[in-house]
Amino acid sequence: MNTSLKQYKPFFSFLIKFLAFYIIFTFAYKMYLSQFDVAKYEVDVISQKVAHQTVGLINVFGGKAEAFPNEFESSEKIIFNGKYVARIIEGCNAVSVIILFAAFIFAFSNGFKRTFLFIFTGGIIIYALNIARIALLAYFLYHYPEYEELLHGTIFPLFIYGVVFLLWVLWVTKFSGYVRKFAA
């Protein structure tokens, strides 16, 4: 192999593995979503679960929340203390974020078992924190609706992507073996 190409082998390996994983799982997810008729305002099962689990979390902490199918679009309405505060659409269920997270971990993989366990555990953490994020967002939108753009557009995405970034750093520095491999 050409020495100039050889020095970039780790980068190209990462890129190929990342893109392959991301494309395959994004395609599979899109196939799953294609089962639901948006024209009939059907909501995918995962988004429904997220809406109902969010409501459950709010209710556990003393709020009064309910989730209902939206009659005007493919979403679930979140009603908090009698007020419509949020809607759960497909993009709110964290599946796309989990696929992105998993693609990065896979691209830095160093053995099946460790990689699978980290993706599985990280996926559960992201999913659970996403439900907490939506519950907190509903609470804040109920009390501070004037900050909707800041909360929904900036603060809460930073929260979920910040967690993903920290998990990536944890993977690369503690579990993947790449730091030890390149430090030697």
Side-chain angles (χ1 to χ4, degrees):
M1 180 180 269
N2 187 335
T3 56
S4 62
L5 285 178
K6 192 174 185 178
Q7 72 185 26
Y8 296 113
K9 185 180 177 194
F11 169 74
F12 287 121
S13 174
F14 169 85
L15 191 61
I16 290 167
K17 288 168 70 176
F18 177 87
L19 288 174
F21 187 101
Y22 187 79
I23 290 167
I24 289 167
F25 280 88
T26 298
F27 178 76
Y29 181 53
K30 296 298 178 197
M31 293 300 296
Y32 160 77
L33 290 175
S34 71
Q35 302 174 59
F36 303 94
D37 190 350
V38 178
K40 293 180 182 177
Y41 307 131
E42 291 180 349
V43 179
D44 68 279
V45 176
I46 299 169
S47 297
Q48 289 176 30
K49 292 275 186 215
V50 166
H52 292 280
Q53 291 167 340
T54 298
V55 163
L57 182 62
I58 291 169
N59 292 339
V60 162
F61 286 101
K64 186 176 182 314
E66 300 171 280
F68 298 103
N70 193 326
E71 60 275 6
F72 302 113
E73 68 176 354
S74 295
S75 68
E76 291 277 321
K77 291 180 178 181
I78 301 291
I79 310 297
F80 183 78
N81 292 338
K83 182 180 174 186
Y84 175 32
V85 293
R87 65 190 173 105
I88 305 298
I89 61 172
E90 176 274 322
C92 300
N93 66 22
V95 172
S96 295
V97 175
I98 292 169
I99 291 170
L100 179 67
F101 161 77
F104 181 90
I105 300 304
F106 178 76
F108 269 109
S109 62
N110 189 8
F112 177 78
K113 183 178 179 184
R114 183 184 299 206
T115 302
F116 175 79
L117 287 174
F118 197 85
I119 288 173
F120 182 76
T121 304
I124 290 172
I125 290 168
I126 293 165
Y127 183 87
L129 288 176
N130 185 56
I131 290 170
R133 173 188 77 94
I134 297 168
L136 285 169
L137 183 59
Y139 173 84
F140 284 117
L141 289 175
Y142 177 81
H143 291 287
Y144 308 102
E146 66 274 17
Y147 295 111
E148 178 180 0
E149 183 58 37
L150 176 66
L151 292 167
H152 184 264
T154 305
I155 293 174
F156 284 99
L158 279 174
F159 170 73
I160 201 75
Y161 286 110
V163 168
V164 170
F165 179 75
L166 290 175
L167 287 170
W168 284 344
V169 169
L170 182 65
W171 173 253
V172 171
T173 60
K174 299 290 183 195
F175 297 106
S176 73
Y178 275 87
V179 171
R180 288 184 299 277
K181 183 176 169 182
F182 289 108

